[in-house]
Amino acid sequence: MGVLVVITAKHVVLKGGTDVINDDLLVAFRQVGGGLATRSVREIKTTFKDELEWVFHPSEDVAAIPFLHQPGVDDLKSIPQDFCLESKNLCGLMQVFFPAYQPGASEIAGIRPIMRVGHISDIGPGRKFLLDGAAFPGNSGSPVFTAPSHMNLVSGIGGPRLVGLISGYLTYRDVAVSEQTQMPRVMFEENTGLSVCCTYDAIDDVLTGEEFQVMLKRLAPLRGVETSK
């Protein structure tokens, strides 16, 4: 593809679940010489003369946008396509890990991601799977990789492979009832520890879809920085 692409959850980009795009988002990354840098989506759009837009999966929680990469300056690593795993190769109990930004841990970790682990609990229907691994607000859009475990090696997976991204988590509700009126007074919502993930198939739907491919063709003459996928 020759373009570095930022992929995240659709609900991270949309304000309140509407079609209003949140251009205030910042991509944070390290620089080759040390230190941290950020680049806003608005800045990237301006560089590409507003020919660049977020592209969304029509039904799944996936969004993608090309990213302006400065080789030799930005310390970025991309995930090549042959390091991705389609859902047909997934199975229950397959062990995974996902790096995530964890609210509340920023004083400890700073920009460094918190690593979480789990295993696949259920696959499908559609382009989703359930992960027995707790996700929290701030984890949305985190990439999910197969873990270098004995079980995965036996399955022929080998090293880490991208299998999808975190979309959200399942909750259960506990209701406090008044002893006097027997009416519900307070409802508590708790995290079940099961996370909802979009498969790599959903990501591939976006990247190979007509809307994204047409945009890449429009951007081709405007790309002044050589980039890689």
Side-chain angles (χ1 to χ4, degrees), residues 20-33:
V20 179
I21 308 302
N22 187 350
D23 283 345
D24 296 328
L25 290 175
L26 296 175
V27 179
F29 50 90
R30 297 189 182 278
Q31 294 183 303
V32 172

Side-chain angles (χ1 to χ4, degrees), residues 62 87 90 126-129 163-165 197-203:
V62 177
S87 60
L90 303 183
R127 279 156 153 63
K128 293 186 178 70
F129 64 89
V163 296
L165 59 81
C197 305
C198 295
T199 63
Y200 169 72
D201 307 60
I203 296 173

Side-chain angles (χ1 to χ4, degrees), residues 90-98 116-123 129-135 144-147 149 151-152 163 166 193-197:
L90 303 183
C91 63
L93 295 181
M94 183 175 285
Q95 294 178 315
V96 299
F97 70 93
F98 58 100
R116 293 187 174 277
V117 297
H119 62 261
I120 294 177
S121 297
D122 182 61
I123 304 170
F129 64 89
L130 285 181
L131 170 65
D132 185 5
V144 181
F145 300 93
T146 56
S149 66
M151 179 176 178
N152 291 350
V163 296
I166 300 290
L194 288 173
S195 300
V196 180
C197 305

Side-chain angles (χ1 to χ4, degrees), residues 41-224:
V41 172
R42 184 178 289 112
E43 176 187 347
I44 300 172
K45 283 189 175 184
T46 301
T47 302
F48 283 120
K49 305 183 187 303
D50 291 327
E51 289 287 344
L52 176 150
E53 292 290 346
W54 285 96
V55 176
F56 305 110
H57 195 287
S59 58
E60 303 299 341
D61 193 16
V62 177
I65 191 170
F67 182 71
L68 185 60
H69 177 214
Q70 297 179 346
V73 178
D74 302 339
D75 185 13
L76 296 174
K77 288 182 173 62
S78 60
I79 303 171
Q81 204 158 14
D82 56 357
F83 273 70
C84 302
L85 201 63
E86 297 178 353
S87 60
K88 65 182 180 181
N89 297 311
L90 303 183
C91 63
L93 295 181
M94 183 175 285
Q95 294 178 315
V96 299
F97 70 93
F98 58 100
Y101 169 73
Q102 179 58 54
S106 58
E107 294 181 1
I108 301 173
I111 196 67
R112 293 171 300 181
I114 299 295
M115 294 295 176
R116 293 187 174 277
V117 297
H119 62 261
I120 294 177
S121 297
D122 182 61
I123 304 170
R127 279 156 153 63
K128 293 186 178 70
F129 64 89
L130 285 181
L131 170 65
D132 185 5
F136 295 88
N139 298 162
S140 297
S142 296
V144 181
F145 300 93
T146 56
S149 66
H150 173 72
M151 179 176 178
N152 291 350
L153 290 174
V154 171
S155 301
I157 300 304
R161 296 289 186 269
L162 176 70
V163 296
L165 59 81
I166 300 290
S167 173
Y169 54 86
L170 294 183
T171 62
Y172 71 90
R173 295 178 177 179
D174 196 7
V175 180
V177 178
S178 168
E179 291 186 359
Q180 182 176 9
T181 65
Q182 297 301 305
M183 297 292 291
R185 298 299 300 272
V186 182
M187 181 177 294
F188 302 93
E189 190 172 83
E190 303 292 344
N191 190 337
T192 62
L194 288 173
S195 300
V196 180
C197 305
C198 295
T199 63
Y200 169 72
D201 307 60
I203 296 173
D204 190 59
D205 287 344
V206 174
L207 298 183
T208 59
E210 181 179 1
E211 184 178 358
F212 196 87
Q213 291 299 314
V214 168
M215 180 177 60
L216 288 183
K217 291 179 180 178
R218 294 200 314 266
L219 295 177
L222 301 175
R223 279 162 41 200

